């Protein structure tokens, strides 16, 4: 019995501590493009860029999340080029793709495979989020502006766990089409990308994703603005402001969040609608916004 437990432990550690068997890769921070560089691009090139960025959004949901599900559907997902919900079981209330499992890692695997098999020729970036996440898709597209999707990008809010660095699903996960291609090639290889995270205890779905991607030569990268602030956030705006008021009372705004934030997490349905109001609807009369680049909404979209 002890021998079996020892073997199981070695197997589990083998899934996590694979860094020594891969080529060395230094984690680095990726920043948004410089706004001055955007101004140097011709208007015709800007228009082409605005049309070329295609983001497919994956939202993993369970029946108990029905109120969040409704809020996400009514708010930020309208700004994705396409958004689909992947549920643990068949739900009549909302249209979704049934993954027929409540295991979050299996749901994530199946959702990525579905997205790649069906949309690999239509979208170059894939964004996955929880139903408690609010995303500003235009800021995501701006961040990705000078990133080549034919390169293996795996972006978001990174966390280090032992030798493993992974992107937290709480802040949302972004994969380029090249990373999706590499991941898809490993989903059928249980030695490198097992359906179960460990034989003794399970590891979270975002850590398991990082393990699979690491075998494919794809490594987690932290997304930041030009000032080094995170743009993918694992907390809500309210919590960040509360922390800033305690830790930096004289610089609450500066100490809170990036002006180009892409995500916030831990929101209730009502907070989703408040965020939608603040981000997309509230305007100061007489103040004109002159962004150098405009991301046009998808055809047929109801976005704001």
């Amino acid at each position: 019995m002890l021998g079996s437990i020892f073997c199981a432990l070695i197997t589990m550690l083998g899934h996590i501590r694979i860094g020594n068997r891969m080529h060395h890769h230094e984690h680095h921070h990726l920043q948004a493009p410089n706004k001055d560089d955007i101004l140097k691009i011709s208007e015709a090139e800007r228009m082409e860029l605005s049309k070329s960025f295609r983001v497919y959004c994956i939202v993993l949901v369970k029946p108990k999340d029905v109120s969040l599900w409704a809020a996400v559907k009514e708010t930020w997902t309208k700004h994705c080029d396409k958004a689909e919900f992947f549920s643990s079981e068949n739900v009549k209330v909302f249209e979704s793709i049934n993954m027929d499992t409540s295991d979050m890692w299996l749901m994530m695997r199946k959702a990525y495979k579905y997205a790649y098999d069906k949309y690999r020729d239509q979208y170059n970036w894939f964004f996955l989020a929880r139903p408690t996440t609010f995303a500003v898709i235009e800021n995501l597209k701006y961040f990705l502006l000078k990133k080549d999707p034919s390169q293996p990008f795996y972006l978001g809010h990174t966390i280090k766990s032992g030798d493993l660095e992974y992107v937290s699903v709480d802040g949302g996960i972004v994969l380029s089409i090249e990373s999706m291609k590499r991941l898809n090639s490993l989903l059928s290889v249980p030695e490198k990308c097992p359906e179960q995270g460990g034989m003794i205890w399970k590891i979270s779905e975002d850590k398991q994703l990082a393990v699979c991607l690491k075998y494919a030569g794809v490594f987690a990268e932290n997304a930041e603005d030009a000032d080094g602030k995170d743009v993918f956030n694992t907390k809500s705006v309210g919590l960040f402001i509360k922390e800033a008021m305690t830790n930096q009372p004289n610089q609450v705004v500066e100490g809170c969040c990036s002006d180009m934030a892409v995500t916030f997490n831990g929101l209730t349905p009502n907070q989703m609608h408040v965020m939608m109001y603040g981000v997309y609807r509230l305007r100061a009369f007489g103040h004109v916004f002159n962004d150098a680049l405009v991301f046009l909404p998808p055809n047929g979209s109801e976005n704001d």
Side-chain angles (χ1 to χ4, degrees), residues 28-46:
H28 61 282
H29 302 251
L30 291 183
Q31 292 193 331
N34 188 305
K35 292 182 180 180
D36 292 334
D37 292 338
I38 305 301
L39 294 172
K40 298 174 184 177
I41 302 175
S42 70
E43 189 170 339
E45 288 177 303
R46 292 179 200 169

PDB file of all heavy atoms in Angstrom, residues 28-46:
ATOM      1  N   HIS A  28       8.601  36.418 -18.311  1.00  0.00           N
ATOM      2  CA  HIS A  28       8.740  37.848 -18.505  1.00  0.00           C
ATOM      3  C   HIS A  28       7.376  38.515 -18.562  1.00  0.00           C
ATOM      4  O   HIS A  28       6.349  37.864 -18.632  1.00  0.00           O
ATOM      5  CB  HIS A  28       9.558  38.149 -19.765  1.00  0.00           C
ATOM      6  CG  HIS A  28       8.957  37.627 -21.040  1.00  0.00           C
ATOM      7  ND1 HIS A  28       9.037  36.304 -21.421  1.00  0.00           N
ATOM      8  CD2 HIS A  28       8.282  38.255 -22.028  1.00  0.00           C
ATOM      9  CE1 HIS A  28       8.440  36.140 -22.579  1.00  0.00           C
ATOM     10  NE2 HIS A  28       7.971  37.289 -22.970  1.00  0.00           N
ATOM     11  N   HIS A  29       7.408  39.829 -18.488  1.00  0.00           N
ATOM     12  CA  HIS A  29       6.192  40.615 -18.421  1.00  0.00           C
ATOM     13  C   HIS A  29       5.934  41.234 -19.786  1.00  0.00           C
ATOM     14  O   HIS A  29       6.836  41.792 -20.409  1.00  0.00           O
ATOM     15  CB  HIS A  29       6.346  41.725 -17.372  1.00  0.00           C
ATOM     16  CG  HIS A  29       6.669  41.200 -16.004  1.00  0.00           C
ATOM     17  ND1 HIS A  29       5.764  41.225 -14.967  1.00  0.00           N
ATOM     18  CD2 HIS A  29       7.778  40.611 -15.500  1.00  0.00           C
ATOM     19  CE1 HIS A  29       6.312  40.694 -13.888  1.00  0.00           C
ATOM     20  NE2 HIS A  29       7.537  40.320 -14.193  1.00  0.00           N
ATOM     21  N   LEU A  30       4.709  41.149 -20.254  1.00  0.00           N
ATOM     22  CA  LEU A  30       4.344  41.735 -21.535  1.00  0.00           C
ATOM     23  C   LEU A  30       3.550  43.010 -21.297  1.00  0.00           C
ATOM     24  O   LEU A  30       2.654  43.048 -20.452  1.00  0.00           O
ATOM     25  CB  LEU A  30       3.498  40.755 -22.346  1.00  0.00           C
ATOM     26  CG  LEU A  30       4.217  39.510 -22.873  1.00  0.00           C
ATOM     27  CD1 LEU A  30       3.258  38.680 -23.710  1.00  0.00           C
ATOM     28  CD2 LEU A  30       5.428  39.888 -23.709  1.00  0.00           C
ATOM     29  N   GLN A  31       3.889  44.048 -22.045  1.00  0.00           N
ATOM     30  CA  GLN A  31       3.223  45.326 -21.861  1.00  0.00           C
ATOM     31  C   GLN A  31       2.386  45.703 -23.077  1.00  0.00           C
ATOM     32  O   GLN A  31       2.610  45.225 -24.184  1.00  0.00           O
ATOM     33  CB  GLN A  31       4.259  46.417 -21.586  1.00  0.00           C
ATOM     34  CG  GLN A  31       4.955  46.264 -20.229  1.00  0.00           C
ATOM     35  CD  GLN A  31       5.727  47.509 -19.838  1.00  0.00           C
ATOM     36  OE1 GLN A  31       6.198  48.248 -20.684  1.00  0.00           O
ATOM     37  NE2 GLN A  31       5.849  47.741 -18.543  1.00  0.00           N
ATOM     38  N   ALA A  32       1.414  46.570 -22.829  1.00  0.00           N
ATOM     39  CA  ALA A  32       0.565  47.085 -23.898  1.00  0.00           C
ATOM     40  C   ALA A  32       1.402  47.977 -24.813  1.00  0.00           C
ATOM     41  O   ALA A  32       2.436  48.507 -24.406  1.00  0.00           O
ATOM     42  CB  ALA A  32      -0.583  47.888 -23.290  1.00  0.00           C
ATOM     43  N   PRO A  33       0.976  48.159 -26.063  1.00  0.00           N
ATOM     44  CA  PRO A  33       1.730  49.021 -26.978  1.00  0.00           C
ATOM     45  C   PRO A  33       1.725  50.478 -26.527  1.00  0.00           C
ATOM     46  O   PRO A  33       0.817  50.912 -25.808  1.00  0.00           O
ATOM     47  CB  PRO A  33       1.003  48.846 -28.312  1.00  0.00           C
ATOM     48  CG  PRO A  33      -0.371  48.394 -27.942  1.00  0.00           C
ATOM     49  CD  PRO A  33      -0.200  47.569 -26.709  1.00  0.00           C
ATOM     50  N   ASN A  34       2.734  51.218 -26.939  1.00  0.00           N
ATOM     51  CA  ASN A  34       2.827  52.641 -26.637  1.00  0.00           C
ATOM     52  C   ASN A  34       1.821  53.406 -27.491  1.00  0.00           C
ATOM     53  O   ASN A  34       1.737  53.218 -28.701  1.00  0.00           O
ATOM     54  CB  ASN A  34       4.260  53.122 -26.941  1.00  0.00           C
ATOM     55  CG  ASN A  34       4.492  54.536 -26.464  1.00  0.00           C
ATOM     56  OD1 ASN A  34       3.751  55.445 -26.821  1.00  0.00           O
ATOM     57  ND2 ASN A  34       5.526  54.722 -25.663  1.00  0.00           N
ATOM     58  N   LYS A  35       1.041  54.278 -26.848  1.00  0.00           N
ATOM     59  CA  LYS A  35       0.010  55.017 -27.589  1.00  0.00           C
ATOM     60  C   LYS A  35       0.600  55.902 -28.678  1.00  0.00           C
ATOM     61  O   LYS A  35      -0.023  56.131 -29.722  1.00  0.00           O
ATOM     62  CB  LYS A  35      -0.820  55.856 -26.613  1.00  0.00           C
ATOM     63  CG  LYS A  35      -1.676  55.009 -25.682  1.00  0.00           C
ATOM     64  CD  LYS A  35      -2.522  55.856 -24.761  1.00  0.00           C
ATOM     65  CE  LYS A  35      -3.368  54.981 -23.836  1.00  0.00           C
ATOM     66  NZ  LYS A  35      -4.205  55.776 -22.925  1.00  0.00           N
ATOM     67  N   ASP A  36       1.817  56.398 -28.455  1.00  0.00           N
ATOM     68  CA  ASP A  36       2.458  57.236 -29.474  1.00  0.00           C
ATOM     69  C   ASP A  36       2.756  56.432 -30.739  1.00  0.00           C
ATOM     70  O   ASP A  36       2.704  56.969 -31.853  1.00  0.00           O
ATOM     71  CB  ASP A  36       3.758  57.841 -28.924  1.00  0.00           C
ATOM     72  CG  ASP A  36       3.495  58.865 -27.834  1.00  0.00           C
ATOM     73  OD1 ASP A  36       2.396  59.454 -27.835  1.00  0.00           O
ATOM     74  OD2 ASP A  36       4.383  59.074 -26.990  1.00  0.00           O
ATOM     75  N   ASP A  37       3.067  55.156 -30.558  1.00  0.00           N
ATOM     76  CA  ASP A  37       3.339  54.304 -31.723  1.00  0.00           C
ATOM     77  C   ASP A  37       2.077  54.109 -32.557  1.00  0.00           C
ATOM     78  O   ASP A  37       2.140  54.013 -33.787  1.00  0.00           O
ATOM     79  CB  ASP A  37       3.869  52.933 -31.275  1.00  0.00           C
ATOM     80  CG  ASP A  37       5.257  53.028 -30.656  1.00  0.00           C
ATOM     81  OD1 ASP A  37       5.959  54.024 -30.939  1.00  0.00           O
ATOM     82  OD2 ASP A  37       5.630  52.120 -29.888  1.00  0.00           O
ATOM     83  N   ILE A  38       0.927  54.055 -31.899  1.00  0.00           N
ATOM     84  CA  ILE A  38      -0.335  53.882 -32.620  1.00  0.00           C
ATOM     85  C   ILE A  38      -0.620  55.093 -33.496  1.00  0.00           C
ATOM     86  O   ILE A  38      -1.118  54.977 -34.616  1.00  0.00           O
ATOM     87  CB  ILE A  38      -1.500  53.668 -31.635  1.00  0.00           C
ATOM     88  CG1 ILE A  38      -1.204  52.495 -30.696  1.00  0.00           C
ATOM     89  CG2 ILE A  38      -2.813  53.445 -32.374  1.00  0.00           C
ATOM     90  CD1 ILE A  38      -0.969  51.187 -31.390  1.00  0.00           C
ATOM     91  N   LEU A  39      -0.263  56.289 -32.994  1.00  0.00           N
ATOM     92  CA  LEU A  39      -0.503  57.516 -33.758  1.00  0.00           C
ATOM     93  C   LEU A  39       0.317  57.578 -35.039  1.00  0.00           C
ATOM     94  O   LEU A  39      -0.035  58.297 -35.972  1.00  0.00           O
ATOM     95  CB  LEU A  39      -0.188  58.740 -32.883  1.00  0.00           C
ATOM     96  CG  LEU A  39      -1.102  58.948 -31.670  1.00  0.00           C
ATOM     97  CD1 LEU A  39      -0.571  60.073 -30.796  1.00  0.00           C
ATOM     98  CD2 LEU A  39      -2.529  59.252 -32.128  1.00  0.00           C
ATOM     99  N   LYS A  40       1.401  56.827 -35.079  1.00  0.00           N
ATOM    100  CA  LYS A  40       2.262  56.816 -36.260  1.00  0.00           C
ATOM    101  C   LYS A  40       1.715  55.928 -37.384  1.00  0.00           C
ATOM    102  O   LYS A  40       2.178  55.990 -38.515  1.00  0.00           O
ATOM    103  CB  LYS A  40       3.669  56.344 -35.877  1.00  0.00           C
ATOM    104  CG  LYS A  40       4.376  57.249 -34.875  1.00  0.00           C
ATOM    105  CD  LYS A  40       5.706  56.659 -34.434  1.00  0.00           C
ATOM    106  CE  LYS A  40       6.372  57.516 -33.367  1.00  0.00           C
ATOM    107  NZ  LYS A  40       7.639  56.916 -32.863  1.00  0.00           N
ATOM    108  N   ILE A  41       0.722  55.099 -37.049  1.00  0.00           N
ATOM    109  CA  ILE A  41       0.140  54.209 -38.054  1.00  0.00           C
ATOM    110  C   ILE A  41      -0.864  54.983 -38.899  1.00  0.00           C
ATOM    111  O   ILE A  41      -1.631  55.796 -38.393  1.00  0.00           O
ATOM    112  CB  ILE A  41      -0.575  53.022 -37.359  1.00  0.00           C
ATOM    113  CG1 ILE A  41       0.404  52.260 -36.467  1.00  0.00           C
ATOM    114  CG2 ILE A  41      -1.186  52.076 -38.386  1.00  0.00           C
ATOM    115  CD1 ILE A  41      -0.245  51.162 -35.655  1.00  0.00           C
ATOM    116  N   SER A  42      -0.859  54.747 -40.210  1.00  0.00           N
ATOM    117  CA  SER A  42      -1.776  55.450 -41.100  1.00  0.00           C
ATOM    118  C   SER A  42      -3.220  55.062 -40.795  1.00  0.00           C
ATOM    119  O   SER A  42      -3.489  54.003 -40.215  1.00  0.00           O
ATOM    120  CB  SER A  42      -1.460  55.115 -42.567  1.00  0.00           C
ATOM    121  OG  SER A  42      -1.808  53.772 -42.848  1.00  0.00           O
ATOM    122  N   GLU A  43      -4.153  55.911 -41.197  1.00  0.00           N
ATOM    123  CA  GLU A  43      -5.562  55.650 -40.917  1.00  0.00           C
ATOM    124  C   GLU A  43      -6.041  54.371 -41.587  1.00  0.00           C
ATOM    125  O   GLU A  43      -6.842  53.618 -41.020  1.00  0.00           O
ATOM    126  CB  GLU A  43      -6.410  56.842 -41.386  1.00  0.00           C
ATOM    127  CG  GLU A  43      -7.856  56.754 -40.937  1.00  0.00           C
ATOM    128  CD  GLU A  43      -8.629  58.040 -41.186  1.00  0.00           C
ATOM    129  OE1 GLU A  43      -8.000  59.098 -41.333  1.00  0.00           O
ATOM    130  OE2 GLU A  43      -9.869  57.955 -41.224  1.00  0.00           O
ATOM    131  N   ALA A  44      -5.540  54.104 -42.788  1.00  0.00           N
ATOM    132  CA  ALA A  44      -5.924  52.883 -43.501  1.00  0.00           C
ATOM    133  C   ALA A  44      -5.440  51.642 -42.752  1.00  0.00           C
ATOM    134  O   ALA A  44      -6.167  50.645 -42.632  1.00  0.00           O
ATOM    135  CB  ALA A  44      -5.338  52.897 -44.914  1.00  0.00           C
ATOM    136  N   GLU A  45      -4.212  51.719 -42.212  1.00  0.00           N
ATOM    137  CA  GLU A  45      -3.671  50.592 -41.449  1.00  0.00           C
ATOM    138  C   GLU A  45      -4.437  50.397 -40.143  1.00  0.00           C
ATOM    139  O   GLU A  45      -4.670  49.259 -39.719  1.00  0.00           O
ATOM    140  CB  GLU A  45      -2.187  50.831 -41.152  1.00  0.00           C
ATOM    141  CG  GLU A  45      -1.281  50.686 -42.359  1.00  0.00           C
ATOM    142  CD  GLU A  45       0.172  51.016 -42.026  1.00  0.00           C
ATOM    143  OE1 GLU A  45       0.423  52.144 -41.554  1.00  0.00           O
ATOM    144  OE2 GLU A  45       1.035  50.140 -42.217  1.00  0.00           O
ATOM    145  N   ARG A  46      -4.836  51.507 -39.526  1.00  0.00           N
ATOM    146  CA  ARG A  46      -5.617  51.401 -38.292  1.00  0.00           C
ATOM    147  C   ARG A  46      -6.946  50.707 -38.550  1.00  0.00           C
ATOM    148  O   ARG A  46      -7.392  49.872 -37.756  1.00  0.00           O
ATOM    149  CB  ARG A  46      -5.877  52.795 -37.712  1.00  0.00           C
ATOM    150  CG  ARG A  46      -4.656  53.511 -37.183  1.00  0.00           C
ATOM    151  CD  ARG A  46      -5.042  54.882 -36.656  1.00  0.00           C
ATOM    152  NE  ARG A  46      -3.901  55.772 -36.575  1.00  0.00           N
ATOM    153  CZ  ARG A  46      -3.986  57.072 -36.342  1.00  0.00           C
ATOM    154  NH1 ARG A  46      -5.172  57.624 -36.160  1.00  0.00           N
ATOM    155  NH2 ARG A  46      -2.904  57.828 -36.276  1.00  0.00           N
TER     156      ARG A  46
END
